[in-house]
Amino acid sequence: MKFTDGFWSARPGVSALYAQEAYDIDADGDVLRITAPTKVIERRGDVLNRAALTVSLSSPLEGIIRVRVEKNSGAKPGPGFELVGAEPADARITVTDAGSTLASGALTARIAAGAPWSLSFEADGTTLTSSGHKSIGYMALDENAPVTTEPAGISGVTTTGLAPASAYLHGRLTLGVGELVYGLGERFGPLVKNGQTIDIWNADGGTSSEQSYKNVPFYLTNRGYGVLVNHPEHVSFEVGTESVEEVQFSVAGDALEYFVIYGPTPKEVLERYTRLTGRPARVPAWSYGLWLSTSFTTQYDEATVSSFIDGMAERDLPLSVFHFDCFWMREFNWTDFEWDPRVFPDPEGMLGRLHDKNLHVSAWINPYIGQRAAIFAEARDAGYLVKKPNGDVWQWDMWQAGMGLVDFTNPDATAWFQDKLRRLFEQGVDAIKTDFGERIPTDVVWHDGSSPDVMHNWYTQLYNKAVFDVLEEYRGEGDAVLFARSATVGGQQQPVHWGGDNSSSYESMAETLRGGLSLAFSGFGYWSHDIGGFEGMPDAAVFKRWVAFGLLSSHSRLHGSTSYRVPWLFDDGTEADGQSAVDVTRRFTNLKLELMPYLYEVGLEAHRTGTPFMRPMQLEFHGDPAVDYLDRQYLLGPNLLVAPVFSEAGDVQYYLPAGTWTNYLTGETETGPAWRRDTHAFDSIPLWVREGAVLVTGSRSDRPDYDFTENPLVTVYPGFAGTRTVDVQNPLDGTSVTLTITSEGDTVTVTSDADAFFRARRAGGDITTATERKASLR
């Protein structure tokens, strides 16, 4: 949202009031409070008829500093996000004539006394970012002000109108030379956000637009810090655009609150951010296997479903989850939680038969209830649906005719919705796809009196939490999993999220990856996407390239819109040398299941520390300037580098940072830093193991949920030195075995703390079977 006309002037109709000086600074317990008049006070008369801003500094958690700016502090404060990890921090305050500081951990905020306004954030004697002249502004607008006061797509019937406000507060933080910004939710444009205007406003815009299903007003930079703007409502970011030297963020109203979060590494920024806003839950091992869907508008019944499942088994394609999309319910009834009796006359029997095939079952829902559904009247009469200001139920026809929206601010409505879900779980459903949650109206009244503007983005958190909580209640902690589309701050606590409606093309495959990388920078630990693209029917080449990418993601789902996604539909299976869609799917499914001991531990790390499963190169190699703009490759956990192939011909260019890398599929080694240009057949992909890695792989490749401590293979890669311990989990009962790997001279020794069989080898060498809990590799 832009308020200025160039560097010097405000736009017509905009009255700008800026914090001009720190007139006085007071320490109030653990809060540093500054009075910032909007004119430099030179004489006594200047204090009259003058607006002043109150700026408060405090710390909700070590290494994080809160900045709150208020024009009128008598207004009711906004709710902010749920800061589940906030705890009293040891804030150290000093006040001198020259200015004051508030320090939390290694991060210090320094406010200079007097004019000009100067607030800086420092660590280890270095300024990370600062808020200087014209950085804190109260912008009053008249009705003719030519500024962008709402994000694209808000006005009109599709998103039911966010009215422009009459005043905004903005903050600005400087960008240093070469400083790059990442994050701000799942965004499908350039990974580096410099030069972009970004509106934090959830929308159902697909992956080919600037809109996003998962808007997160949090960014981090390559200078060792992150910023969370603590407003669930619409936040507008100008990332080096209105002021090319600064990131500007603005919100409507009389208060603005943001947090500066210190690292110094990007991983440490995310560790602190997710400690404050919530860590991803632990997900079950079975969820990492391949998911197959009915697709959306295709025709299906139990016979169709069985033909898909049996066809996968006949072709030795391991399947872990089968998903029923919307039409498991009767048309016009979504969501009424009732299996369409015309198509599924025996749902309990069918689900039992699927379980007998060692499958888990996922079912689609959304938070809307169509008018035709019998439970619409039940919800309407009980007051469980969102209402218009006149007391009528809010309804529209964009999706299901006359549908209403469940009001999750009403505890009784939430409990009612959860009871409907419990019946599904009793029937045999194991996981829920929580679709939608973005098209939330603003011309409504909420049960608890919440602001409609706040609820537009916040609704998804209430929706997904309601479902995830009852899933955990039913299945137990660590065995609950969603497949969610919409999210905001805190949504990472309810995994997994998928990338939304993409298209069946290489371009959409690339934008999908950019979205996943951007979401990883926003604190989300797990992420998936529709393999082959949702819209359209991918040709065989697109499908096969996407299969390799999809099965080297945290979660892997075959799903489409109007066409099925079983692999044998894409070619006739006669391709030589294992290049058919069936062969390629088998190859990469087996590969993922073989990697499960490693991948499961990566997921546990995401749960423990907030470090994402899929890691942008900038997260792992933040000191290497060659990775700053890379958005077509990533690390899967700490040790596997993946570079998806975005062409039929198999041409791919990618970068290996410093160190000795080993190709996991071929055993080839390469010394980085190096740029490579390869050509890959469909059954291949650049997959490299990092120098010094110890990789534990499994003894099975037919399912994801098995005892990983049963005869695993420990591979030690070039560059390993010293001593390291690796935990190998048994996801079936929660036990684990600890392996200790020690390098002494030319010998590497692997020992186990339990009577467990394991095998070990150096990369490219022979496999040694351990005896007496020990293996020596020479």
Side-chain angles (χ1 to χ4, degrees):
M1 183 180 304
K2 295 181 174 67
F3 302 100
T4 58
D5 179 11
F7 185 73
W8 308 109
S9 305
R11 292 191 176 194
V14 177
S15 299
L17 298 173
Y18 296 105
Q20 297 288 358
E21 67 170 326
Y23 180 74
D24 57 27
I25 306 170
D26 296 309
D28 182 7
D30 57 1
V31 178
L32 201 59
R33 191 163 285 110
I34 306 110
T35 299
T38 53
K39 179 186 183 303
V40 176
I41 304 302
E42 298 172 333
R43 58 187 66 85
R44 281 192 167 185
D46 288 343
V47 305
L48 304 176
N49 307 311
R50 180 76 53 205
L53 303 174
T54 300
V55 181
S56 303
L57 306 179
S58 59
S59 177
L61 195 64
E62 182 183 352
I64 302 177
I65 290 177
R66 173 194 279 117
V67 179
R68 183 169 179 83
V69 182
E70 295 173 305
K71 165 64 168 58
N72 294 314
S73 58
K76 181 180 178 180
F81 293 106
E82 290 184 359
L83 306 179
V84 297
E87 58 186 37
D90 181 21
R92 307 179 302 280
I93 293 176
T94 61
V95 179
T96 68
D97 291 340
S100 302
T101 61
L102 182 146
S104 177
L107 179 64
T108 298
R110 184 181 304 277
I111 179 72
W117 172 263
S118 177
L119 170 63
S120 61
F121 299 90
E122 307 166 2
D124 297 326
T126 300
T127 298
L128 303 173
T129 188
S130 60
S131 163
H133 182 54
K134 289 189 175 182
S135 64
I136 298 178
Y138 182 76
M139 321 304 285
L141 278 58
D142 68 29
E143 61 183 11
N144 298 313
V147 300
T148 303
T149 56
E150 51 186 50
I154 284 183
S155 61
V157 74
T158 57
T159 43
T160 67
L162 175 66
S166 60
Y168 294 80
L169 263 172
H170 77 55
R172 289 178 175 176
L173 292 173
T174 55
L175 289 171
V177 176
E179 185 170 3
L180 302 177
V181 174
Y182 306 95
L184 295 172
E186 180 189 46
R187 317 209 78 86
F188 306 104
L191 181 62
V192 174
K193 300 303 186 288
N194 297 55
Q196 298 182 45
T197 296
I198 292 176
D199 287 300
I200 302 300
W201 189 258
N202 284 358
D204 178 7
T207 66
S208 297
S209 78
E210 65 180 356
Q211 296 178 2
S212 173
Y213 305 97
K214 307 169 189 67
N215 286 268
V216 179
F218 165 77
Y219 68 87
L220 55 77
T221 87
N222 59 352
R223 292 297 174 89
Y225 70 95
V227 176
L228 168 64
V229 180
N230 191 27
H231 290 263
E233 66 268 35
H234 172 223
V235 183
S236 180
F237 283 87
E238 300 288 344
V239 187
T241 46
E242 180 158 29
S243 171
V244 298
E245 301 171 0
E246 297 167 299
V247 175
Q248 174 180 291
F249 36 88
S250 57
V251 297
D254 288 344
L256 169 68
E257 183 170 289
Y258 65 91
F259 302 92
V260 176
I261 303 171
Y262 181 55
T265 67
K267 280 186 185 177
E268 290 169 299
V269 172
L270 288 181
E271 190 277 333
R272 282 199 170 94
Y273 169 74
T274 56
R275 187 157 24 128
L276 183 67
T277 62
R279 294 272 163 75
R282 181 165 49 93
V283 298
W286 56 260
S287 72
Y288 290 106
L290 183 60
W291 296 45
L292 176 63
S293 167
T294 59
S295 291
F296 171 31
T297 60
T298 52
Q299 295 290 330
Y300 57 87
D301 53 15
E302 184 176 357
T304 308
V305 169
S306 296
S307 73
F308 290 163
I309 293 168
D310 293 344
M312 297 288 281
E314 290 163 3
R315 294 166 175 83
D316 294 322
L317 298 173
L319 191 61
S320 183
V321 182
F322 191 85
H323 170 72
F324 290 87
D325 218 54
C326 314
F327 282 95
W328 67 270
M329 292 174 283
R330 182 167 178 161
E331 67 278 6
F332 293 116
N333 284 17
W334 308 338
T335 291
D336 69 351
F337 305 95
E338 297 287 343
W339 293 84
D340 184 348
R342 303 167 303 175
V343 185
F344 300 107
D346 179 25
E348 290 86 354
M350 177 186 66
L351 296 176
R353 288 185 284 275
L354 295 182
H355 287 149
D356 289 342
K357 295 180 180 182
N358 293 317
L359 291 173
H360 289 79
V361 176
S362 168
W364 176 98
I365 67 167
N366 68 192
Y368 306 113
I369 300 176
Q371 180 170 288
R372 186 187 182 283
I375 66 169
F376 179 90
E378 179 184 342
R380 177 198 63 205
D381 296 345
Y384 295 160
L385 301 177
V386 175
K387 295 180 180 178
K388 298 178 182 178
N390 68 359
D392 292 343
V393 170
W394 175 87
Q395 293 178 260
W396 72 348
D397 300 325
M398 291 286 292
W399 186 238
Q400 293 286 280
M403 69 183 190
L405 177 65
V406 177
D407 188 344
F408 289 108
T409 73
N410 181 345
D412 291 337
T414 301
W416 171 83
F417 193 83
Q418 291 175 321
D419 279 342
K420 303 296 183 185
L421 286 167
R422 287 186 182 96
R423 182 161 176 262
L424 276 186
F425 302 149
E426 289 164 1
Q427 289 177 321
V429 171
D430 304 295
I432 295 293
K433 173 181 170 180
T434 49
D435 206 352
F436 287 83
E438 309 93 358
R439 296 179 179 181
I440 306 304
T442 56
D443 52 351
V444 294
V445 175
W446 294 88
H447 173 82
D448 71 347
S450 289
S451 159
D453 295 345
V454 168
M455 281 302 301
H456 176 85
N457 287 341
W458 185 242
Y459 183 88
T460 177
Q461 181 67 359
L462 300 183
Y463 165 41
N464 283 316
K465 186 176 187 303
V467 179
F468 194 80
D469 283 353
V470 74
L471 260 173
E472 276 201 327
E473 167 203 304
Y474 190 84
R475 298 197 60 85
E477 186 177 331
D479 201 39
V481 64
L482 296 179
F483 226 78
R485 189 174 74 175
S486 58
T488 185
V489 171
Q492 68 270 8
Q493 297 174 72
Q494 297 96 33
V496 170
H497 293 79
W498 100 95
D501 296 348
N502 45 22
S503 302
S504 300
S505 68
Y506 294 114
E507 292 78 11
S508 191
M509 182 177 162
E511 74 203 15
T512 295
L513 174 55
R514 293 194 297 269
L517 295 174
S518 187
L519 192 66
F521 269 129
S522 306
F524 283 69
Y526 311 92
W527 172 79
S528 187
H529 45 97
D530 290 342
I531 293 173
F534 176 71
E535 298 288 356
M537 179 66 169
D539 64 33
V542 168
F543 178 79
K544 287 183 281 192
R545 295 300 186 194
W546 209 318
V547 160
F549 167 37
L551 282 158
L552 289 169
S553 302
S554 85
H555 288 75
S556 310
R557 182 176 73 156
L558 299 170
H559 179 68
S561 177
T562 59
S563 54
Y564 303 122
R565 288 292 184 269
V566 287
W568 53 90
L569 295 183
F570 293 92
D571 51 38
D572 61 12
T574 61
E575 286 77 1
D577 302 323
Q579 300 296 299
S580 74
V582 167
D583 292 331
V584 171
T585 303
R586 183 188 306 111
R587 163 108 162 127
F588 287 102
T589 304
N590 291 155
L591 172 62
K592 185 175 189 182
L593 301 182
E594 174 187 297
L595 289 168
M596 273 303 301
Y598 168 75
L599 298 179
Y600 190 72
E601 183 58 36
V602 171
L604 293 179
E605 184 181 356
H607 166 63
R608 290 191 301 261
T609 69
T611 303
F613 202 102
M614 169 188 277
R615 303 182 185 182
M617 296 294 290
Q618 301 84 352
L619 198 65
E620 286 287 341
F621 301 99
H622 62 279
D624 184 347
V627 308
D628 283 348
Y629 288 86
L630 297 185
D631 61 6
R632 297 195 301 275
Q633 60 185 83
Y634 57 92
L635 266 75
L636 201 60
N639 292 322
L640 290 178
L641 187 151
V642 183
V645 180
F646 298 100
S647 71
E648 181 175 357
D651 299 329
V652 57
Q653 184 178 31
Y654 57 96
Y655 173 74
L656 297 177
T660 299
W661 294 82
T662 304
N663 189 303
Y664 184 86
L665 301 179
T666 68
E668 176 189 0
T669 60
E670 173 78 88
T671 300
W675 284 94
R676 286 181 61 100
R677 187 184 293 275
D678 301 339
T679 300
H680 287 260
F682 289 116
D683 63 348
S684 180
I685 189 173
L687 179 61
W688 293 83
V689 185
R690 195 172 185 172
E691 179 178 272
V694 175
L695 211 61
V696 181
T697 52
S699 57
R700 298 180 63 169
S701 60
D702 61 333
R703 60 183 303 130
D705 47 345
Y706 58 94
D707 183 357
F708 303 149
T709 69
E710 184 179 306
N711 202 28
L713 174 61
V714 183
T715 305
V716 181
Y717 285 84
F720 175 81
T723 298
R724 187 180 311 166
T725 59
V726 177
D727 288 331
V728 183
Q729 305 288 327
N730 178 359
L732 304 181
D733 62 12
T735 61
S736 65
V737 170
T738 299
L739 302 175
T740 301
I741 304 94
T742 303
S743 175
E744 296 179 353
D746 295 331
T747 301
V748 174
T749 303
V750 184
T751 59
S752 170
D753 69 343
D755 291 321
F757 292 104
F758 70 91
R759 299 160 297 148
R761 68 174 179 182
R762 289 179 184 266
D766 295 331
I767 295 175
T768 298
T769 300
T771 59
E772 297 181 354
R773 304 184 184 180
K774 183 176 181 180
S776 294
L777 312 175
R778 291 181 173 85

